[in-house]
Amino acid sequence: METLGTTLVAAEQEEFMVNISHCTTNEAPQSRKRYWEKIVTETYFPLTLTFKAESRFSGALNSWDLGLISLSKLESDGVLYQRNSQHLEQAESEESYLITIPDHDSIDFSQNGREVGCAPGGFILQRSHLPYQFSYTQPNRLWVMKIPAPLLRSKVGLPERLVSLAFDASQGAGDLMTEMVRMVSTRLDHMDQAARHTIGSHLVDLLALAVLDHSPMQSGLTSVQTAHLYRAEKYIRDHIQQPLRPQDIASACGISLRYLHMLFQMRGQSVSSWVQEQRLLFSDTSLQQHAHTKSIAEIAYEWGFSSPAAFSQLYKNHFGLSPSEARSQYRARLNQHQDHHFLVDS
């Protein structure tokens, strides 16, 4: 099936196995701008595009569903992408992050008053709910992961502080993450939905490790304080389903209770409020993953809440919706997504 130069390819006739591919090849030069804006909007979110050479512009985009996240490969001539206040007025309620890995040439990015250049061998983070500009002048290949903000926050504390910073992907976890992104793209068409969901989870875990490996210092914290804070955050996430007392966290990290409280206060939160926030973020991810299976009570107890009622109140205070309301939205979105894939596969 071909529409507007778009080919929807189902590698095999297994349920939900789909690689969505777009290309400007069959588009007339005068319609390529409109076409490319359309597929970029469908894959990520609305953006305004300015081309280096509009009449000669060429681009191709492949995207894969990996459960809660998506992966895409974008290859095109030079272009400027802009996310502006007009787009934000109609933005989807769920904030997301784009993790962009350039392959062939450097990219330039600015958001929230900060500018950064990122060459091949690195990656950057972009927030969907703030204006930004993103560009490259030469033909480039980009790998892009789109991750819901709650999922990323459950793995990386305050990811918004990492926007407009270039991260090293030439070694360690960063190198492993980027190589896995490139490698799995050639194999995803032969994986079922459950396998692709697992791959997506592993990629987010590797991203979290890569960020922790090379994260810049937080404002007001020395490198030693930052290292202790990251160690405390990791301990909390690793034991989030268990009872967590500040003293136990401090002892596990080899620091005093007073020092632990000071570290979190310097970041603007108490230890207990950060633990509670992490429980809520993990529970929200669980609501999305198990929209048709686990009960709200099971999720509440799984993530350390004293009762379903307490969980529901805290969840609504944090997200603005009750867990049951959020679940209804996630189910509707999942059903819509599955219906789309069914139509593609058929």
Side-chain angles (χ1 to χ4, degrees), residues 175-189:
D175 182 39
L176 183 58
M177 179 196 72
T178 55
E179 284 304 304
M180 183 174 176
V181 162
R182 297 182 183 96
M183 179 185 67
V184 299
S185 68
T186 64
R187 295 166 170 80
L188 290 172
D189 293 338

Side-chain angles (χ1 to χ4, degrees), residues 260-330:
L260 176 72
H261 284 303
M262 182 201 71
L263 290 176
F264 279 86
Q265 287 168 0
M266 291 179 71
R267 206 185 63 172
Q269 279 183 286
S270 68
V271 177
S272 59
S273 68
W274 197 82
V275 170
Q276 179 177 286
E277 180 183 70
Q278 295 305 298
R279 294 190 194 281
L280 288 168
L281 291 169
F282 276 107
S283 66
D284 182 64
T285 300
S286 191
L287 274 173
Q288 295 182 55
Q289 291 175 328
H290 303 287
H292 292 291
T293 53
K294 290 186 178 180
S295 70
I296 289 173
E298 286 176 315
I299 291 172
Y301 290 126
E302 178 183 11
W303 296 110
F305 294 95
S306 59
S307 71
F311 166 60
S312 294
Q313 186 59 57
L314 290 168
Y315 186 96
K316 187 168 186 176
N317 291 343
H318 188 83
F319 292 104
L321 296 171
S322 68
S324 58
E325 290 170 335
R327 162 163 280 178
S328 295
Q329 287 191 4
Y330 293 142

Side-chain angles (χ1 to χ4, degrees), residues 66-70 94-97 99 145-157 159 197 200-205 207-208 237 278 280-286 288-289 319 330:
L66 302 181
L68 295 180
I69 79 168
S70 66
E94 183 179 72
E95 184 179 15
S96 58
Y97 283 81
I99 287 75
M145 288 191 289
K146 183 180 180 183
I147 306 177
L151 174 59
L152 187 58
R153 291 193 183 107
S154 71
K155 303 290 185 178
V156 178
H197 189 116
S201 296
H202 289 332
L203 285 174
V204 177
D205 288 338
L207 171 66
R237 290 196 192 93
Q278 295 305 298
L280 288 168
L281 291 169
F282 276 107
S283 66
D284 182 64
T285 300
S286 191
Q288 295 182 55
Q289 291 175 328
F319 292 104
Y330 293 142

